[in-house]
Amino acid sequence: MNKTMLVTGGAGFIGSNFIRYVFERTGFKGKIVNLDKLTYAGNPENLADIRKKYGERYVFVKGDICDFKLLGQLFKKHNFDTVAHFAAESHVDRSIFGPKDFIETNIHGTFALLETARQTWLATPGGAKGKRFHHVSTDEVYGSLGKTGKFKETTPYDPRSPYSSSKAASDHLARAYFHTYGLPVTISNCSNNYGPYHFPEKLIPLIILNALEGKPLPVYGDGLQVRDWLYVEDHCAAIWRIINKGRVGETYNVGGNCEMANIDVVKGICAALEKFSPSAGNAALGSKKYLGLIKYVKDRPGHDRRYAIDFSKIKRELGWRPSVTFKEGLTRTVVWYLANGVWVRSVRTGEYRKWIDKNYKR
Ligand code: NAD
Ligand code: DAU
């Protein structure tokens, strides 16, 4: 297995970290085809280093996972033994303002991939032996927790936003393809990731960059909503382990054992910035400190109150556990954003879109 892997959404945040992780950290000797539509969240430059270093072993294809014809061609041409499916519309706020793309990509796109894998893999003499379709999903499918308890793999689905509902639908489809057709599917439901290449609409990178620019730091509602934070590389390691050692047909919850109220995350970012880029030397802040930029704003509609993951199954069965503490992960993240001004500027100004339009036609 793992000779030729299709990674969908590999130009996004977690997908690009995953491709880098597989090439650099696992001893992988095969080829990766990265299929990505390059929506606003996809930036092929996230993998510029990998493209240079791995040459023909890394292939980028600009395209839509809803495109059956393209999927059929790619499966035929590359004879994939593994699919790692990340592509999605991923931002909850955007799903509230415009759910359509979420339904298209997250539900129809996942269906197109499953169906192509079924038609291609199950039609060959060996069937789906040695193949694996891993579907990357979210803890948000489980809904919202009260003050106690954690999400287990057996927690009933109760999604609340168009985003989480579309991910729930895709999980059900993936499971159905295992039960009905015997497609070798695994699923992971993970908590909030953070780290390098995180698109700055999400809380952590948004707060880092707004703070450096002296802009308000928006905290929704009372800021006491709780998320369970996981450093992105730990998520990549979990997915790799599930693909290689996980039991077919199974779901694995992945989490950071790191419950934090949003306001404490924001304060933690301010403290890290004071250490690595003090407000006193930042002209954009005048006489203010980073903490002084915090601004409570209108809450997100239907805002889930608390998420927490019970990851005892993946720990017990596959020996995975988070390895990076929040303090260490946040330091790495803040330092990365400070050191990668070119990437930040091109994403913040939209410059990278012009570059994509020029270089990636389809
Ligand atoms: P992202 O928004 O950063 O990246 C998504 C990528 O998918 C982008 O490169 C985009 O161009 C691509 N894409 C979107 N629509 C496409 C389409 N129709 N065809 C092909 N490519 C398309 O998202 P992310 O944060 O990296 O999340 C990746 C996956 O992990 C998603 O499935 C998400 O639901 C899941 N997940 C994310 C988190 C998190 O904290 N970010 C946590 C758990 C699970
Ligand atoms: O739990 C996993 C999910 O985590 C993934 O499935 C999603 O793809 C990913 O986007 C993330 O969803 P969240 O909605 O939790 O992430 P976000 O960064 O948007 O928000 C984190 C928390 O911070 C959430 O409670 C909302 C709050 N928030 C967010 C933003 C953007 C703010 O208070 N202010 C903000 O400006």
Side-chain angles (χ1 to χ4, degrees):
M1 205 156 72
N2 305 146
K3 289 197 189 72
T4 310
M5 175 156 48
L6 172 65
V7 175
T8 70
F13 164 48
I14 307 176
S16 62
N17 276 286
F18 178 76
I19 291 174
R20 180 172 294 99
Y21 176 85
V22 172
F23 274 125
E24 302 270 345
R25 302 279 303 277
T26 67
F28 174 73
K29 299 272 185 289
K31 179 164 92 178
I32 292 181
V33 177
N34 174 6
L35 172 63
D36 197 298
K37 188 179 170 182
L38 300 183
T39 68
Y40 76 94
N43 184 353
E45 285 313 277
N46 292 358
L47 288 165
D49 55 330
I50 297 296
R51 191 174 58 222
K52 279 192 201 106
K53 191 163 167 190
Y54 292 94
E56 288 175 1
R57 290 178 56 207
Y58 172 68
V59 177
F60 179 78
V61 178
K62 183 180 180 214
D64 192 330
I65 56 163
C66 299
D67 183 344
F68 271 103
K69 194 169 160 213
L70 172 64
L71 293 179
Q73 287 165 353
L74 290 175
F75 270 74
K76 198 166 164 206
K77 179 170 177 193
H78 296 285
N79 193 17
F80 301 121
D81 50 41
T82 308
V83 176
H85 173 35
F86 292 86
E89 287 294 335
S90 68
H91 192 40
V92 175
D93 290 335
R94 283 180 191 258
S95 83
I96 295 166
F97 295 116
K100 188 167 177 287
D101 288 348
F102 289 73
I103 306 306
E104 289 295 335
T105 289
N106 299 1
I107 305 179
H108 295 187
T110 302
F111 163 66
L113 275 167
L114 288 163
E115 183 57 16
T116 306
R118 174 178 89 87
Q119 285 178 15
T120 316
W121 287 349
L122 300 184
T124 55
K129 195 163 177 282
K131 307 281 199 286
R132 178 60 60 94
F133 187 114
H134 184 72
H135 174 60
V136 179
S137 192
T138 170
D139 58 356
E140 300 204 5
V141 298
Y142 298 123
S144 186
L145 289 164
K147 284 202 166 62
T148 58
K150 292 189 175 195
F151 297 132
K152 291 176 180 300
E153 289 80 0
T154 50
T155 302
Y157 275 33
D158 186 19
R160 312 293 184 92
S161 70
Y163 164 69
S164 52
S165 306
S166 66
K167 291 297 291 187
S170 65
D171 292 11
H172 290 318
L173 278 169
R175 243 170 240 127
Y177 268 70
F178 166 71
H179 289 293
T180 310
Y181 304 113
L183 198 76
V185 168
T186 42
I187 299 176
S188 50
N189 293 90
C190 185
S191 61
N192 286 64
N193 286 214
Y194 66 103
Y197 303 102
H198 206 179
F199 196 82
E201 62 187 350
K202 309 280 168 42
L203 181 72
I204 289 185
L206 178 83
I207 296 296
I208 296 173
L209 299 184
N210 275 15
L212 289 170
E213 292 167 9
K215 292 181 181 164
L217 311 182
V219 174
Y220 295 166
D222 62 7
L224 297 178
Q225 304 82 5
V226 171
R227 297 291 182 265
D228 177 350
W229 293 95
L230 179 70
Y231 191 63
V232 63
E233 214 173 274
D234 275 334
H235 187 192
C236 297
I239 292 171
W240 184 247
R241 209 166 282 202
I242 296 167
I243 287 174
N244 287 285
K245 302 247 184 298
R247 287 185 292 137
V248 165
E250 292 294 316
T251 294
Y252 295 89
N253 278 358
V254 180
N257 196 23
C258 176
E259 286 184 55
M260 306 248 323
N262 290 338
I263 185 64
D264 293 329
V265 171
V266 173
K267 287 180 178 167
I269 295 169
C270 291
L273 284 172
E274 289 296 356
K275 185 168 171 200
F276 294 105
S277 180
S279 51
N282 185 334
L285 273 95
S287 57
K288 275 191 175 160
K289 296 240 177 260
Y290 292 120
L291 274 178
L293 299 172
I294 291 176
K295 186 172 179 206
Y296 288 91
V297 298
K298 195 164 170 286
D299 207 353
R300 172 186 279 175
H303 198 170
D304 288 339
R305 194 68 179 166
R306 177 173 163 258
Y307 301 149
I309 283 274
D310 176 346
F311 61 86
S312 53
K313 179 175 172 182
I314 186 170
K315 186 173 164 201
R316 191 178 57 248
E317 287 192 12
L318 308 181
W320 176 92
R321 67 180 71 194
S323 69
V324 180
T325 63
F326 189 70
K327 193 164 181 234
E328 168 61 18
L330 194 60
T331 297
R332 287 191 205 174
T333 305
V334 165
V335 168
W336 188 87
Y337 278 89
L338 287 170
N340 284 274
V342 173
W343 184 91
V344 165
R345 260 190 307 283
S346 87
V347 171
R348 286 286 256 194
T349 57
E351 274 302 314
Y352 76 114
R353 298 305 319 174
K354 289 185 200 152
W355 188 86
I356 286 171
D357 291 343
K358 197 166 143 228
N359 290 284
Y360 289 92
K361 295 204 173 65
R362 206 191 141 70

mmCIF file of all heavy atoms in Angstrom, residues 44 56 90 102 110 128 222 235 243-244 278 292 312 315-316 325 327 333 355:
data_model
loop_
_atom_site.group_PDB
_atom_site.id
_atom_site.type_symbol
_atom_site.label_atom_id
_atom_site.label_comp_id
_atom_site.label_asym_id
_atom_site.label_seq_id
_atom_site.Cartn_x
_atom_site.Cartn_y
_atom_site.Cartn_z
ATOM 1 N N PRO A 44 -1.168 26.665 -3.814
ATOM 2 C CA PRO A 44 -0.161 25.647 -4.144
ATOM 3 C C PRO A 44 1.228 26.016 -3.631
ATOM 4 O O PRO A 44 2.084 25.152 -3.476
ATOM 5 C CB PRO A 44 -0.189 25.583 -5.667
ATOM 6 C CG PRO A 44 -0.951 26.757 -6.125
ATOM 7 C CD PRO A 44 -1.781 27.269 -4.999
ATOM 8 N N GLU A 56 9.064 14.563 -9.699
ATOM 9 C CA GLU A 56 7.927 13.824 -10.276
ATOM 10 C C GLU A 56 7.139 13.017 -9.256
ATOM 11 O O GLU A 56 6.072 12.483 -9.566
ATOM 12 C CB GLU A 56 8.439 12.896 -11.382
ATOM 13 C CG GLU A 56 8.846 13.683 -12.608
ATOM 14 C CD GLU A 56 9.466 12.800 -13.659
ATOM 15 O OE1 GLU A 56 9.568 11.575 -13.436
ATOM 16 O OE2 GLU A 56 9.844 13.350 -14.711
ATOM 17 N N SER A 90 -14.385 24.623 4.612
ATOM 18 C CA SER A 90 -14.079 24.281 6.002
ATOM 19 C C SER A 90 -14.451 25.335 7.035
ATOM 20 O O SER A 90 -14.322 25.089 8.232
ATOM 21 C CB SER A 90 -12.568 24.011 6.124
ATOM 22 O OG SER A 90 -11.847 25.219 5.927
ATOM 23 N N PHE A 102 -20.779 24.440 0.343
ATOM 24 C CA PHE A 102 -20.536 23.390 1.350
ATOM 25 C C PHE A 102 -21.271 22.109 0.971
ATOM 26 O O PHE A 102 -20.761 20.997 1.126
ATOM 27 C CB PHE A 102 -20.960 23.872 2.746
ATOM 28 C CG PHE A 102 -20.040 24.933 3.288
ATOM 29 C CD1 PHE A 102 -20.069 26.226 2.782
ATOM 30 C CD2 PHE A 102 -19.124 24.629 4.278
ATOM 31 C CE1 PHE A 102 -19.197 27.198 3.250
ATOM 32 C CE2 PHE A 102 -18.249 25.593 4.753
ATOM 33 C CZ PHE A 102 -18.281 26.876 4.234
ATOM 34 N N THR A 110 -17.659 14.430 -2.016
ATOM 35 C CA THR A 110 -17.294 13.174 -1.334
ATOM 36 C C THR A 110 -17.971 11.989 -2.020
ATOM 37 O O THR A 110 -17.362 10.927 -2.209
ATOM 38 C CB THR A 110 -17.682 13.252 0.164
ATOM 39 O OG1 THR A 110 -17.014 14.372 0.740
ATOM 40 C CG2 THR A 110 -17.301 11.980 0.906
ATOM 41 N N ALA A 128 -10.714 -4.536 -3.941
ATOM 42 C CA ALA A 128 -10.156 -3.402 -3.202
ATOM 43 C C ALA A 128 -9.037 -3.840 -2.257
ATOM 44 O O ALA A 128 -8.660 -3.100 -1.358
ATOM 45 C CB ALA A 128 -11.270 -2.706 -2.431
ATOM 46 N N ASP A 222 -19.393 35.814 24.640
ATOM 47 C CA ASP A 222 -18.665 36.025 25.912
ATOM 48 C C ASP A 222 -17.254 35.426 25.890
ATOM 49 O O ASP A 222 -16.517 35.521 26.878
ATOM 50 C CB ASP A 222 -19.468 35.455 27.092
ATOM 51 C CG ASP A 222 -19.685 33.950 26.981
ATOM 52 O OD1 ASP A 222 -19.104 33.313 26.076
ATOM 53 O OD2 ASP A 222 -20.454 33.397 27.799
ATOM 54 N N HIS A 235 -2.159 15.893 14.056
ATOM 55 C CA HIS A 235 -3.296 15.384 13.286
ATOM 56 C C HIS A 235 -2.805 14.580 12.078
ATOM 57 O O HIS A 235 -3.306 13.485 11.793
ATOM 58 C CB HIS A 235 -4.172 16.568 12.840
ATOM 59 C CG HIS A 235 -5.457 16.170 12.174
ATOM 60 N ND1 HIS A 235 -6.252 17.055 11.500
ATOM 61 C CD2 HIS A 235 -6.086 14.970 12.045
ATOM 62 C CE1 HIS A 235 -7.300 16.429 11.003
ATOM 63 N NE2 HIS A 235 -7.233 15.164 11.319
ATOM 64 N N ILE A 243 -4.433 5.365 8.270
ATOM 65 C CA ILE A 243 -4.352 4.832 6.895
ATOM 66 C C ILE A 243 -3.573 3.517 6.887
ATOM 67 O O ILE A 243 -3.947 2.555 6.228
ATOM 68 C CB ILE A 243 -3.690 5.869 5.953
ATOM 69 C CG1 ILE A 243 -4.660 7.018 5.668
ATOM 70 C CG2 ILE A 243 -3.223 5.219 4.652
ATOM 71 C CD1 ILE A 243 -4.072 8.174 4.879
ATOM 72 N N ASN A 244 -2.514 3.452 7.640
ATOM 73 C CA ASN A 244 -1.626 2.281 7.583
ATOM 74 C C ASN A 244 -1.969 1.169 8.558
ATOM 75 O O ASN A 244 -1.685 0.001 8.298
ATOM 76 C CB ASN A 244 -0.174 2.728 7.776
ATOM 77 C CG ASN A 244 0.331 3.439 6.544
ATOM 78 O OD1 ASN A 244 0.612 2.808 5.533
ATOM 79 N ND2 ASN A 244 0.368 4.762 6.603
ATOM 80 N N PRO A 278 7.424 42.289 20.660
ATOM 81 C CA PRO A 278 6.750 43.110 21.675
ATOM 82 C C PRO A 278 5.972 44.295 21.090
ATOM 83 O O PRO A 278 6.424 44.919 20.125
ATOM 84 C CB PRO A 278 7.912 43.607 22.554
ATOM 85 C CG PRO A 278 9.036 42.661 22.296
ATOM 86 C CD PRO A 278 8.863 42.155 20.898
ATOM 87 N N GLY A 292 -4.841 45.000 24.769
ATOM 88 C CA GLY A 292 -5.768 46.140 24.679
ATOM 89 C C GLY A 292 -6.557 46.155 23.377
ATOM 90 O O GLY A 292 -7.477 46.956 23.217
ATOM 91 N N SER A 312 -9.401 7.882 23.298
ATOM 92 C CA SER A 312 -8.836 6.655 23.873
ATOM 93 C C SER A 312 -8.790 5.498 22.861
ATOM 94 O O SER A 312 -7.920 4.631 22.948
ATOM 95 C CB SER A 312 -9.602 6.239 25.130
ATOM 96 O OG SER A 312 -10.972 6.167 24.866
ATOM 97 N N LYS A 315 -5.659 5.805 20.725
ATOM 98 C CA LYS A 315 -4.510 5.604 21.621
ATOM 99 C C LYS A 315 -4.329 4.108 21.917
ATOM 100 O O LYS A 315 -3.235 3.555 21.802
ATOM 101 C CB LYS A 315 -4.761 6.390 22.908
ATOM 102 C CG LYS A 315 -3.613 6.406 23.874
ATOM 103 C CD LYS A 315 -3.929 7.357 25.008
ATOM 104 C CE LYS A 315 -3.002 7.112 26.170
ATOM 105 N NZ LYS A 315 -3.555 7.621 27.411
ATOM 106 N N ARG A 316 -5.445 3.480 22.231
ATOM 107 C CA ARG A 316 -5.409 2.055 22.604
ATOM 108 C C ARG A 316 -5.059 1.183 21.388
ATOM 109 O O ARG A 316 -4.183 0.324 21.454
ATOM 110 C CB ARG A 316 -6.796 1.676 23.138
ATOM 111 C CG ARG A 316 -6.906 0.322 23.806
ATOM 112 C CD ARG A 316 -8.325 0.063 24.333
ATOM 113 N NE ARG A 316 -9.355 0.142 23.313
ATOM 114 C CZ ARG A 316 -10.299 1.093 23.250
ATOM 115 N NH1 ARG A 316 -10.333 2.060 24.138
ATOM 116 N NH2 ARG A 316 -11.203 1.099 22.272
ATOM 117 N N THR A 325 2.552 20.162 23.086
ATOM 118 C CA THR A 325 1.699 20.887 24.045
ATOM 119 C C THR A 325 1.187 22.168 23.389
ATOM 120 O O THR A 325 1.772 22.658 22.415
ATOM 121 C CB THR A 325 2.495 21.296 25.305
ATOM 122 O OG1 THR A 325 3.526 22.203 24.877
ATOM 123 C CG2 THR A 325 3.103 20.097 26.001
ATOM 124 N N LYS A 327 1.337 25.160 24.563
ATOM 125 C CA LYS A 327 2.328 26.230 24.718
ATOM 126 C C LYS A 327 3.394 26.137 23.612
ATOM 127 O O LYS A 327 3.715 27.120 22.948
ATOM 128 C CB LYS A 327 2.984 26.097 26.108
ATOM 129 C CG LYS A 327 3.776 27.299 26.478
ATOM 130 C CD LYS A 327 4.078 27.345 27.958
ATOM 131 C CE LYS A 327 4.874 28.609 28.227
ATOM 132 N NZ LYS A 327 6.103 28.408 28.892
ATOM 133 N N THR A 333 3.765 28.301 16.154
ATOM 134 C CA THR A 333 2.851 28.935 15.197
ATOM 135 C C THR A 333 3.129 30.432 15.098
ATOM 136 O O THR A 333 3.247 30.984 13.996
ATOM 137 C CB THR A 333 1.391 28.688 15.635
ATOM 138 O OG1 THR A 333 1.216 27.275 15.784
ATOM 139 C CG2 THR A 333 0.392 29.208 14.615
ATOM 140 N N TRP A 355 -1.439 35.268 -8.875
ATOM 141 C CA TRP A 355 -0.389 34.322 -9.232
ATOM 142 C C TRP A 355 -1.009 32.984 -9.658
ATOM 143 O O TRP A 355 -0.603 32.380 -10.656
ATOM 144 C CB TRP A 355 0.523 34.160 -8.009
ATOM 145 C CG TRP A 355 1.736 33.365 -8.304
ATOM 146 C CD1 TRP A 355 2.918 33.817 -8.806
ATOM 147 C CD2 TRP A 355 1.879 31.958 -8.136
ATOM 148 N NE1 TRP A 355 3.793 32.785 -8.958
ATOM 149 C CE2 TRP A 355 3.182 31.624 -8.559
ATOM 150 C CE3 TRP A 355 1.047 30.941 -7.682
ATOM 151 C CZ2 TRP A 355 3.659 30.326 -8.527
ATOM 152 C CZ3 TRP A 355 1.513 29.651 -7.656
ATOM 153 C CH2 TRP A 355 2.810 29.358 -8.069
#
